[in-house]
Amino acid sequence: MKVSMHAMSVEVFTHALGNLSWILEKGAQSAAQRKIDPSVLLAARLAPDMLPLTRQVQIAGDIAKNAVARLAGQEPPRFEDNETSIEQLRARLARTQDFLRSVPASALEGSETRDIKVPGRERTLEFKGLEFLQRFAIPNVFFHVTTAYDILRHNGVELGKRDFLGGAR
Amino acid sequence: MKVSMHAMSVEVFTHALGNLSWILEKGAQSAAQRKIDPSVLLAARLAPDMLPLTRQVQIAGDIAKNAVARLAGQEPPRFEDNETSIEQLRARLARTQDFLRSVPASALEGSETRDIKVPGRERTLEFKGLEFLQRFAIPNVFFHVTTAYDILRHNGVELGKRDFLGGAR
């Protein structure tokens, strides 16, 4: 027995986005307790030329959604980037998880050898499906989930590794 | 055809740690150009109760090394935590990659159903091998690689997503 592309994409991303949603919930609780406007956290960045929390969350979900759609040969649903609250961002993550769960393992059968193209600003990246998952989709989703966590930690939200890994609930 | 546990652990981690080594090299170059003692970067943290850059790098490698050893049913090599320079940290990452590459795909055959125990301070986590990879090893390695990147970005090192994903070289 080997592992499926579905296990390493849909299952991994659904879990990671659930943890991100929980991390945001802890951010909302912390803001309420400390009497901080949550929009301050949503606009926070680790460097002036890094993206703020809102964009980190939107992008984490979009990379997961678009990656699974690409691997399945589907057109991914498009979400407008119009969230202005933690609650709205969490709803977007839930919609993203719903999409991920809607893609059955059978739709990803054989996707490890599928040609995947990722158009970018400077150039188009080209991968086989397996390499796309190993070197692009998985690292990228965790980059944005971790950076969202790091932004909240940097802003005094009490979070620990268990919140990130999902063992806390 | 499905994908192997080896592809999703040894290959993913070897690539990620190579990118981390490159990110550290860019940190060293930035420190030299800006006349900053590199030890300032190595001691930098995103929050007073988060770990500094040196520990983020050591832990990223150790989680990868220990995860692959556990999946293979091997005793992992132990490295002393005694690095005091970026060069030494990069050498440690190279030794970690050497270990990862020494584990053949055959040693991980069937590891998706292996019982894995991770002793922790508060409790021992128990997983089957696949779930261990999906929910512990992969998220955790990328957590520490990303946080190392975020610490350097927060401290003014010019890095971009291509450095993190490994497309820059």
Side-chain angles (χ1 to χ4, degrees), chain B residues 1-75:
Chain B
M1 191 186 119
K2 300 205 168 193
V3 300
S4 68
M5 289 291 284
H6 183 268
M8 297 314 304
S9 58
V10 169
E11 291 180 16
V12 168
F13 298 153
T14 304
H15 187 65
L17 297 182
N19 296 336
L20 176 56
S21 185
W22 166 249
I23 286 165
L24 288 172
E25 167 62 20
K26 287 197 81 168
Q29 290 171 8
S30 172
Q33 282 164 12
R34 295 189 289 156
K35 304 198 194 309
I36 295 169
D37 185 337
S39 67
V40 174
L41 297 180
L42 291 175
R45 307 167 190 258
L46 291 173
D49 57 350
M50 285 185 82
L51 294 169
L53 179 59
T54 294
R55 292 291 297 140
Q56 301 290 349
V57 175
Q58 290 166 338
I59 294 172
D62 281 3
I63 291 169
K65 163 174 76 65
N66 296 343
V68 168
R70 278 198 180 97
L71 287 168
Q74 291 183 15
E75 192 64 33

Side-chain angles (χ1 to χ4, degrees), chain A residues 44-52 56 143 147 151, chain B residues 149-150 153-154 159:
Chain A
R45 306 168 191 259
L46 291 173
D49 57 349
M50 286 184 82
L51 294 168
Q56 300 290 348
F143 177 90
T147 299
I151 289 172
Chain B
Y149 174 103
D150 283 346
R153 276 296 255 111
H154 182 63
L159 292 166

Side-chain angles (χ1 to χ4, degrees), chain A residues 2 7 15 24 26 55 61 68 71 81 83 86 99 107 110 115-116 123 127 131 135 149 152 160 167:
Chain A
K2 300 205 169 194
H15 187 66
L24 289 171
K26 287 197 80 168
R55 292 291 297 138
V68 168
L71 287 168
D81 293 330
E83 292 84 6
I86 289 177
F99 167 71
D115 289 312
I116 306 284
R123 55 179 179 158
F127 302 95
E131 196 187 41
R135 299 190 174 207
Y149 173 103
L152 288 172

Side-chain angles (χ1 to χ4, degrees), chain A residues 74-161:
Chain A
Q74 292 183 16
E75 193 63 34
R78 303 236 164 251
F79 299 152
E80 269 194 76
D81 293 330
N82 57 5
E83 292 84 6
T84 57
S85 70
I86 289 177
E87 193 176 18
Q88 287 170 10
L89 285 171
R90 296 187 70 210
R92 179 183 178 131
L93 291 174
R95 284 203 307 279
T96 306
Q97 289 179 305
D98 287 343
F99 167 71
L100 294 175
R101 292 193 188 102
S102 78
V103 178
S106 59
L108 295 167
E109 280 284 328
S111 63
E112 61 272 11
T113 56
R114 186 184 279 268
D115 289 312
I116 306 284
K117 292 187 182 185
V118 184
R121 273 172 298 187
E122 294 167 32
R123 55 179 179 158
T124 294
L125 301 175
E126 297 188 28
F127 302 95
K128 292 291 179 187
L130 173 59
E131 196 187 41
F132 169 70
L133 190 61
Q134 293 171 311
R135 299 190 174 207
F136 186 87
I138 288 175
N140 229 338
V141 169
F142 284 109
F143 177 90
H144 292 283
V145 173
T146 303
T147 299
Y149 173 103
D150 284 346
I151 289 172
L152 288 172
R153 275 296 254 114
H154 182 63
N155 282 275
V157 177
E158 284 183 29
L159 292 165
K161 184 64 79 60

